[in-house]
């Protein structure tokens, strides 16, 4: 680029920055653009730098399209939703865990779910039907960008100069139920760009809290992908947030399904996690916490209560020079991944989670402490 061209571009960028202060952020829209379409943002899972507060409290219960329609008909609102659009998808909430329940096999759902992420502007970096996990690349919600005069006029010419300073990644987990149906979980991880020094001449990417609203919105959109109408999906989500549950033949209940706080305990002389839940609820909580905190789940065996996970240590030197630069640098090589087994064991009304090595032996207290604490921070 010539010096005159560079000066012109910088001048336009500066003008755009000034005018953007008067614009309105489109916070109510979602328009993702995956980083894989340009340069990928490489941020490995991390026990020390990841967000430790992805908690949010919501009412519990299940809301289905059929149940909601029955309730609306009973209340004289049935004419607002066409009965021939009712699908077989339910949305469940237990404490801080949300998921969809679909009476279809995982192999039948895999392609529609994969297409769902592509339709929403994402590129998948993990696509493993054998273990039921797919994960998107880091992507930017372009709808958060200011819609100022210069950007609207020049469009893509200056589009690369704009950035929200945020990136999002989503993991989808499909688990086969004993009745042959499937439970689908969607979890979010986020990164935010911050200045790395007082001079503000370079930036780094650091974790930010998981966004429950994004998780809920993508669950709702997936309901539509699987056959629920837009009107029904919106009504179902709103009903679920306003009440404990909506079931056919009954009025909405205000009873909330909440989790008892997790506790860090010592079991067999090493740190462990104690949950006041039965196995089913504990299994869901652990799986969701692993997804939100960025562990790579390589396999799982529900019958044995085992999650096989991989932990990659962080690379503290990763940073992106320059505010307008779109090249994400990579520092020194990260250490080799370490594989663990998380054991979920139920004993009456209590369930314990312990950390084992690949051979099935309990890991030393120092290693277990970091993993148990990370899960605890998400569940407490």
């Amino acid at each position: 680029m010539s010096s005159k061209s560079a000066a012109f571009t910088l001048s336009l960028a500066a003008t755009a920055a000034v005018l953007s202060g008067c614009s309105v952020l489109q916070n109510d829209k979602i328009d993702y653009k995956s980083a894989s379409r340009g340069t990928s943002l490489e941020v490995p899972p991390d026990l020390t730098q990841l967000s430790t507060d992805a908690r949010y409290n919501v009412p519990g219960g299940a809301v289905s399209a059929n149940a909601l329609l029955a309730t609306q008909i009973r209340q004289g609102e049935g004419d607002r939703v066409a009965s021939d659009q009712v699908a077989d998808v339910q949305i469940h909430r237990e404490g801080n865990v949300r998921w969809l329940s679909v009476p279809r096999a995982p192999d039948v759902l895999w392609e529609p779910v994969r297409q769902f992420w592509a339709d929403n502007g994402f590129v998948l970096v993990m696509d493993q039907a054998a273990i039921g996990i797919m994960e998107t690349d880091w992507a930017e919600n372009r709808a958060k960008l200011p819609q100022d005069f210069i950007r609207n006029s020049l469009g893509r010419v200056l589009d690369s100069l704009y950035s929200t300073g945020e990136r999002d990644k989503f993991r989808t987990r499909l688990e086969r139920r004993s009745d042959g149906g499937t439970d689908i979980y969607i979890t979010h991880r986020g990164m935010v760009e911050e200045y790395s020094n007082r001079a503000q001449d370079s930036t780094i990417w650091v974790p930010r809290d998981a966004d429950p609203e994004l998780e809920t919105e993508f669950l709702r959109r997936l309901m539509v992908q699987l056959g629920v109408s837009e009107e029904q999906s919106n009504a179902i989500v709103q009903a679920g947030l306003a009440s404990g549950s909506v079931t056919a033949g009954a009025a909405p209940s205000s009873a909330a399904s909440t989790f008892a706080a997790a506790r860090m305990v010592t079991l067999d002389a090493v740190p462990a996690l104690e949950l006041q839940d039965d196995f089913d609820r504990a299994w869901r909580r652990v799986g969701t916490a692993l997804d939100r905190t960025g562990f790579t789940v390589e396999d799982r065996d529900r019958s044995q209560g085992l999650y096989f996970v991989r932990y990659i240590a962080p690379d503290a030197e990763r940073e992106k020079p320059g505010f307008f630069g779109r090249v994400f640098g990579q520092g020194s090589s990260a250490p080799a991944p370490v594989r663990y087994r998380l054991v979920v064991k139920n004993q009456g009304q209590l369930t314990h989670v312990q950390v084992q090595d690949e051979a099935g032996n309990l890991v030393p207290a120092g290693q277990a402490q970091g993993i148990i604490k990370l899960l605890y921070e998400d569940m407490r």
Side-chain angles (χ1 to χ4, degrees):
M1 178 184 295
S2 68
S3 59
K4 290 185 178 180
S5 298
F8 175 71
T9 301
L10 289 175
S11 176
L12 285 177
T15 305
V18 173
L19 293 179
S20 65
C22 301
S23 63
V24 178
L25 293 179
Q26 305 298 306
N27 291 324
D28 59 337
K29 296 182 180 179
I30 292 179
D31 178 22
Y32 275 96
K33 180 178 180 181
S34 177
S36 286
R37 297 178 184 178
T39 305
S40 179
L41 168 63
E42 298 290 344
V43 182
D46 170 14
L47 283 183
T48 60
Q49 297 184 16
L50 284 171
S51 170
T52 59
D53 190 3
R55 305 184 305 277
Y56 54 97
N57 296 320
V58 296
V63 183
S64 68
N66 286 300
L68 180 66
L69 181 63
T71 302
Q72 291 175 331
I73 291 174
R74 188 175 59 258
Q75 297 174 346
E77 301 177 356
D79 56 341
R80 299 183 186 178
V81 181
S83 60
D84 61 355
Q85 291 180 314
V86 175
D88 57 352
V89 184
Q90 288 185 317
I91 185 167
H92 298 265
R93 292 170 178 80
E94 285 185 353
N96 66 351
V97 180
R98 304 179 182 192
W99 73 99
L100 298 183
S101 177
V102 189
R104 309 176 213 171
D107 56 340
V108 174
L109 292 168
W110 192 259
E111 284 303 323
V113 175
R114 173 194 280 167
Q115 186 61 45
F116 165 78
W117 288 113
D119 292 343
N120 280 277
F122 292 90
V123 172
L124 293 179
V125 295
M126 178 181 291
D127 183 2
Q128 299 186 17
I131 61 175
I133 294 178
M134 62 181 72
E135 186 172 86
T136 71
D137 192 9
W138 292 101
E140 181 179 32
N141 186 0
R142 306 293 288 177
K144 287 188 175 183
L145 290 172
Q147 303 300 310
D148 55 69
F149 172 77
I150 290 182
R151 184 166 183 264
N152 288 335
S153 300
L154 300 182
R156 295 182 180 179
V157 175
L158 291 179
D159 196 53
S160 62
L161 296 177
Y162 287 78
S163 173
T164 63
E166 295 181 358
R167 296 294 185 272
D168 299 305
K169 176 190 285 280
F170 296 89
R171 180 177 295 178
T172 309
R173 177 162 46 94
L174 283 70
E175 289 201 10
R176 184 186 298 273
R177 299 200 312 269
S178 58
D179 62 2
T182 305
D183 289 334
I184 305 175
Y185 302 81
I186 293 177
T187 49
H188 165 255
R189 293 172 59 204
M191 302 290 290
V192 62
E193 189 177 24
E194 295 183 354
Y195 288 112
S196 60
N197 54 39
R198 292 184 178 180
Q200 297 187 350
D201 55 7
S202 64
T203 61
I204 59 174
W205 290 90
V206 297
R208 63 185 177 90
D209 291 346
D211 189 334
E213 293 184 2
L214 278 176
E215 293 178 346
T216 301
E217 173 59 18
F218 278 109
L219 283 173
R220 187 198 68 78
R221 290 186 174 203
L222 183 55
M223 293 177 73
V224 175
Q225 181 89 1
L226 298 178
V228 178
S229 71
E230 284 281 351
E231 294 79 4
Q232 287 175 337
S233 66
N234 282 311
I236 288 169
V237 170
Q238 292 173 7
L241 291 175
S243 62
S245 62
V246 177
T247 57
S253 169
S254 61
S257 174
T258 58
F259 288 129
R263 293 200 312 147
M264 291 183 64
V265 298
T266 299
L267 192 64
D268 299 325
V270 294
L273 197 64
E274 182 177 274
L275 307 174
Q276 296 182 30
D277 297 310
D278 59 23
F279 177 82
D280 289 342
R281 284 162 63 95
W283 180 261
R284 284 193 288 267
R285 292 182 73 182
V286 173
T288 302
L290 289 172
D291 291 339
R292 286 198 186 117
T293 48
F295 284 93
T296 299
V297 180
E298 295 187 325
D299 202 355
R300 60 183 182 270
D301 184 345
R302 196 176 190 279
S303 64
Q304 299 296 319
L306 292 174
Y307 281 101
F308 300 86
V309 303
R310 186 175 74 234
Y311 158 52
I312 303 177
D315 182 355
E317 297 302 318
R318 296 177 191 267
E319 67 178 43
K320 179 176 72 69
F323 183 79
F324 291 107
R326 295 277 69 87
V327 179
F328 297 92
Q330 181 174 355
S332 57
S333 299
V338 179
R339 290 178 171 83
Y340 297 100
R341 307 191 333 171
L342 294 184
V343 187
V344 183
K345 296 188 295 186
N346 178 250
Q347 296 175 333
Q349 296 300 313
L350 293 177
T351 301
H352 291 101
V353 182
Q354 293 183 287
V355 185
Q356 298 179 345
D357 61 20
E358 288 188 272
N361 303 310
L362 291 175
V363 302
Q367 295 181 39
Q369 179 75 18
I371 297 175
I372 292 298
K373 184 177 181 180
L374 186 61
L375 297 177
Y376 164 75
E377 291 290 342
D378 184 77
M379 297 183 193
R380 69 178 181 178

